[in-house]
Amino acid sequence: SLKDLALQEEILSFDSIVSSLKIEGRLKSLNYLYCVIKYYQSILAKKEDIIMFDNLKIAYNRHYTKGKILEQNSYKLSNNKRINNHGLIIGKVHDVNKNSITLNVNKPLYQKDYLRIFNDNTETGQQITKMIYNNKEVKMIEQGLVSINKNCHVHKNDVISIVKSERLINEINDNLKLYLNKHKYDLALIVELNKPLRALINNKEYVSDFIIENPHQIIMTKDDLKALFLKTNNTPIIFNVTCLSNEQFFISKGLVNQFKRDIINDLIKQLQAKPNFFKK
């Protein structure tokens, strides 16, 4: 299968010629989407989040390529060894006993992580249900030698990668609580010809940067305008809309949708600013 396109080292050099980025998301998991968006956001902010890149590898990767954009050879674009998630490589098998496996890891490892254990000829996997470090049972380890339960046949020096992490899934779910719950707002739209469109929510007024026009050939009705604001798609916001207007008017749907997006983004920022919001 094709490797994943990754241009994090070159992306900032595209500033002068690229105005937007498309990130592959079709048929991808919520965990992958969260990690890939957060990672590229950090790059564009010039504060690369290496930990998020590790999380992205856990969520899903098929190794990486810079693709044809940098004239990379075709044989470097695909992977003929594995079509599924390669995961994050964290170390090797140090020793194998009857009921346990000792791992030598160089990155954090958590109880309930799912491991891929492989060499050039064989591959297996298992979930960690028990971890022993310095003769004590632990739930995570930063790095070093750790013993885990043995549920499969492995070999000394096999490579280990994390392909699924309960810790990461829980972390993402906690950070997405905002989007997993809907928040309803009463929205009043005030329409006056030759004036900006006004929207009132919780005693706060939003004013558009466009002017409501007299209709010529195309007419927008109150119901048309309400319908546009009722479509909030996959945002955490729901509007209960009233529209105050006794006139026929015209506004470009594109301008209305941008105004709506600006309002929704402001409401989301207000929600995120609430103390301990994500800890509820």
Side-chain angles (χ1 to χ4, degrees):
S1 62
L2 291 176
K3 297 178 182 178
D4 295 332
L5 185 64
L7 295 172
Q8 62 266 50
E9 295 173 2
E10 293 77 21
I11 199 169
L12 293 179
S13 66
F14 299 156
D15 276 358
S16 61
I17 57 174
V18 175
S19 58
S20 65
L21 298 174
K22 180 182 183 298
I23 298 175
E24 180 189 11
R26 289 180 298 176
L27 303 180
K28 292 292 195 294
S29 69
L30 176 64
N31 298 330
Y32 175 88
L33 294 176
Y34 178 89
C35 293
V36 73
I37 291 171
K38 284 290 186 182
Y39 177 57
Y40 277 96
Q41 280 180 334
S42 74
I43 293 173
L44 293 173
K46 300 181 181 180
K47 297 178 181 179
E48 184 179 2
D49 189 340
I50 300 301
I51 294 177
M52 189 55 68
F53 190 40
D54 283 349
N55 287 340
L56 175 58
K57 291 178 181 178
I58 294 172
Y60 191 81
N61 83 89
R62 296 167 296 191
H63 287 325
Y64 298 101
T65 176
K66 296 187 183 300
K68 288 291 188 180
I69 194 169
L70 297 176
E71 298 183 354
Q72 194 163 92
N73 293 333
S74 295
Y75 74 89
K76 292 184 178 180
L77 299 179
S78 60
N79 190 315
N80 59 5
K81 291 185 178 180
R82 179 180 172 86
I83 62 172
N84 297 321
N85 184 16
H86 288 256
L88 171 69
I89 293 177
I90 60 167
K92 292 187 175 183
V93 174
H94 179 75
D95 198 10
V96 181
N97 298 306
K98 182 179 180 180
N99 298 314
S100 66
I101 308 168
T102 302
L103 311 178
N104 187 3
V105 298
N106 52 33
K107 290 182 178 290
L109 183 65
Y110 291 79
Q111 190 179 56
K112 296 187 179 180
D113 281 350
Y114 288 81
L115 302 181
R116 173 188 172 220
I117 306 173
F118 62 98
N119 55 46
D120 290 338
N121 301 310
T122 63
E123 176 177 327
T124 188
Q126 69 166 65
Q127 184 181 24
I128 299 174
T129 58
K130 188 174 183 179
M131 299 172 62
I132 303 295
Y133 178 70
N134 284 343
N135 297 318
K136 295 181 180 179
E137 186 169 351
V138 295
K139 292 186 177 181
M140 73 85 63
I141 179 177
E142 291 286 347
Q143 60 181 24
L145 295 175
V146 59
S147 294
I148 66 169
N149 52 290
K150 180 185 177 187
N151 296 342
C152 56
H153 184 67
V154 299
H155 309 85
K156 187 174 180 179
N157 292 323
D158 279 357
V159 179
I160 313 155
S161 68
I162 303 173
V163 292
K164 183 179 178 182
S165 168
E166 294 290 330
R167 180 271 313 170
L168 177 58
I169 293 171
N170 291 335
E171 178 183 314
I172 291 172
N173 286 340
D174 285 343
N175 287 328
L176 288 177
K177 281 181 180 177
L178 173 62
Y179 290 90
L180 299 176
N181 298 290
K182 293 290 185 178
H183 303 266
K184 191 169 185 178
Y185 294 87
D186 290 326
L187 168 67
L189 297 171
I190 301 173
V191 178
E192 296 178 278
L193 289 178
N194 302 314
K195 292 185 179 181
L197 176 62
R198 292 186 290 151
L200 297 177
I201 301 176
N202 294 342
N203 298 319
K204 180 174 181 178
E205 183 178 63
Y206 298 87
V207 181
S208 72
D209 57 6
F210 57 81
I211 300 299
I212 300 170
E213 301 176 20
N214 277 295
H216 297 291
Q217 294 181 338
I218 302 175
I219 296 174
M220 178 176 283
T221 67
K222 288 195 301 183
D223 289 340
D224 293 334
L225 187 58
K226 287 175 61 175
L228 290 175
F229 274 87
L230 289 173
K231 293 180 181 179
T232 55
N233 299 327
N234 60 346
T235 73
I237 305 299
I238 298 175
F239 289 132
N240 178 32
V241 183
T242 57
C243 185
L244 307 178
S245 173
N246 294 317
E247 303 172 290
Q248 292 183 332
F249 55 92
F250 171 74
I251 313 172
S252 161
K253 288 185 179 180
L255 293 176
V256 172
N257 284 328
Q258 184 57 57
F259 184 45
K260 176 183 67 177
R261 283 192 291 268
D262 292 342
I263 294 172
I264 289 174
N265 289 338
D266 183 66
L267 294 173
I268 290 174
K269 288 179 181 179
Q270 293 178 38
L271 289 170
Q272 291 172 328
K274 289 183 177 181
N276 301 319
F277 180 82
F278 290 117
K279 295 182 180 179
K280 289 182 180 179

